[in-house]
Amino acid sequence: MHVLVTGAAGMIGRKLAERLGRDGALGDAAITTLTLTDIVEPPVPAGFAGAVRRVTADLADPGVAESLVSARPEVVFHIAGVVSADAELNLKKGYRANLDGTRALLDAIRRVADGWCPKVVFTSSCAVFGAPFPDVIGDDFHLTPLTSYGTQKAMCELLLADHSRRGFLDGVALRLPAVCVRPGPPNKAASGFFSAIIREPLAGRETLLPVAETVLHTHASPRATVGFLIHAAGLSRDVLGPRIAVTMPGVCCTVGEQIEALRRVAGDAAVARIKRAPDPLVERIVAGWPHRFDAARARALGFVAETTFDEIVRIHIEDDLDGRIPD
């Protein structure tokens, strides 16, 4: 099996490639080739016995997508894109990375037109939903995003669904909650503080909290997110049905409840490193996001996430801090 991963140098892309390399298979099919692409060179997953092709390129550039699909990968994980606040602050950049790159990829697949029909797993976002919200958001809630990022993701969902309906590909879009705790340096995601208020204190560093502790959101760990992607690749079209966008499960909690989970795992000293610093832009963006989801359909399809935020904190320690909190 040949697997293509776009956005393979990003956090989720790297962790997915590491998992694919470690497993060496998707379901019952051995992976013989991994094609990893991003605008910077992706790392090679350790221990993978098959061939690895790394492509450093912008998916929206002419000819890049055609080159990537020329070897007809059976599975495409499309993760490439820019994050929420970056897409909101730089409209041109957001549409190029999130919409133009996706359309280039789907067009390249469509143009092959020789019966090849790859599985395409797309990372969408719960930002596709827009206010006013009911207490709990279901999969069939209307798409009226209140950010450019959410708009771009919603447009890509529609393109993916249309290409899937026409038989050019077999698509599934995963509406991800906030992925938390993200390792590494902070990114430009408006949701980045959800991770920073856990990651930075655990590393002995102070961090800023730009919103009130009453802010409510749904979270899943990077480990669970990679699990979502791999599980989605194994879903048949018959099982998924015509509604190919699915809202993923997660842990719904307030920022204050996140902080208390950190306190239970790492103590008062870690919590003391969180400093309040309201940011009107982040507050406005986050206020336009839904908070709690009915992920019954996803669970019925076999998707699994954590059940407590304490689990999410401990997973970050296990996966990214070598199993221990630094002194």
Side-chain angles (χ1 to χ4, degrees):
M1 173 183 285
H2 181 181
V3 176
L4 166 63
V5 181
T6 74
M11 186 273 291
I12 294 298
R14 291 197 314 272
K15 285 184 175 288
L16 173 62
E18 289 168 4
R19 169 74 183 274
L20 295 173
R22 185 169 64 248
D23 291 353
L26 263 177
D28 296 329
I31 301 172
T32 56
T33 303
L34 273 176
T35 296
L36 309 175
T37 185
D38 211 322
I39 57 172
V40 298
E41 187 174 58
V44 175
F48 179 58
V52 178
R53 177 190 178 207
R54 293 187 291 172
V55 179
T56 305
D58 185 337
L59 190 59
D61 282 346
V64 170
E66 286 80 2
S67 174
L68 289 171
V69 305
S70 61
R72 291 165 172 71
E74 286 87 354
V75 178
V76 178
F77 292 102
H78 179 38
I79 306 172
V82 299
V83 293
S84 51
D86 205 10
E88 189 70 9
L89 292 170
N90 191 328
L91 186 68
K92 182 178 179 180
K93 179 181 179 181
Y95 271 93
R96 176 179 174 83
N98 293 335
L99 178 61
D100 296 347
T102 300
R103 184 169 183 181
L105 177 64
L106 300 183
D107 281 350
I109 293 171
R110 173 179 55 81
R111 289 192 186 106
V112 173
D114 66 354
W116 168 60
C117 184
K119 187 75 177 184
V120 178
V121 182
F122 170 62
T123 51
S124 187
S125 167
C126 288
V128 298
F129 300 122
F133 301 120
D135 289 340
V136 180
I137 307 294
D139 283 277
D140 54 357
F141 188 68
H142 55 82
L143 303 189
T144 52
L146 297 179
T147 64
S148 294
Y149 174 75
T151 300
Q152 292 148 15
K153 290 293 188 179
M155 294 169 79
C156 291
E157 282 190 13
L158 292 172
L159 286 172
L160 184 71
D162 195 39
H163 282 66
S164 191
R165 177 183 66 84
R166 288 177 170 271
F168 301 123
L169 52 84
D170 182 6
V172 55
L174 306 183
R175 292 172 179 157
L176 299 178
V179 179
C180 184
V181 175
R182 286 179 173 269
N187 64 15
K188 295 182 180 180
S191 61
F193 68 89
F194 289 125
S195 289
I197 61 173
I198 306 300
R199 179 188 63 239
E200 301 304 305
L202 286 174
R205 297 185 291 263
E206 290 189 351
T207 190
L208 301 180
L209 175 59
V211 302
E213 289 189 20
T214 54
V215 165
L216 184 71
H217 207 64
T218 298
H219 310 271
S221 72
R223 185 193 292 179
T225 303
V226 168
F228 297 159
L229 290 161
I230 290 174
H231 183 69
L235 289 178
S236 71
R237 184 173 299 186
D238 289 342
V239 169
L240 188 62
R243 292 189 300 150
I244 67 167
V246 186
T247 302
M248 294 294 99
V251 176
C252 185
C253 61
T254 65
V255 168
E257 288 169 333
Q258 284 186 264
I259 292 171
E260 289 309 306
L262 175 65
R263 191 189 309 276
R264 286 190 292 271
V265 174
D268 293 338
V271 170
R273 299 185 182 110
I274 302 170
K275 309 300 179 183
R276 277 63 178 173
D279 184 321
L281 174 61
V282 175
E283 289 175 330
R284 177 177 65 81
I285 292 174
V286 172
W289 290 345
H291 312 302
R292 190 188 303 274
F293 306 96
D294 176 6
R297 181 172 176 238
R299 292 190 175 93
L301 288 168
F303 291 97
V304 178
E306 294 80 21
T307 58
T308 69
F309 200 83
D310 295 53
E311 290 178 70
I312 290 176
V313 176
R314 292 191 179 99
I315 284 171
H316 174 64
I317 295 169
E318 291 171 11
D319 290 358
D320 299 299
L321 299 178
D322 295 325
R324 58 180 292 274
I325 301 172
D327 295 332

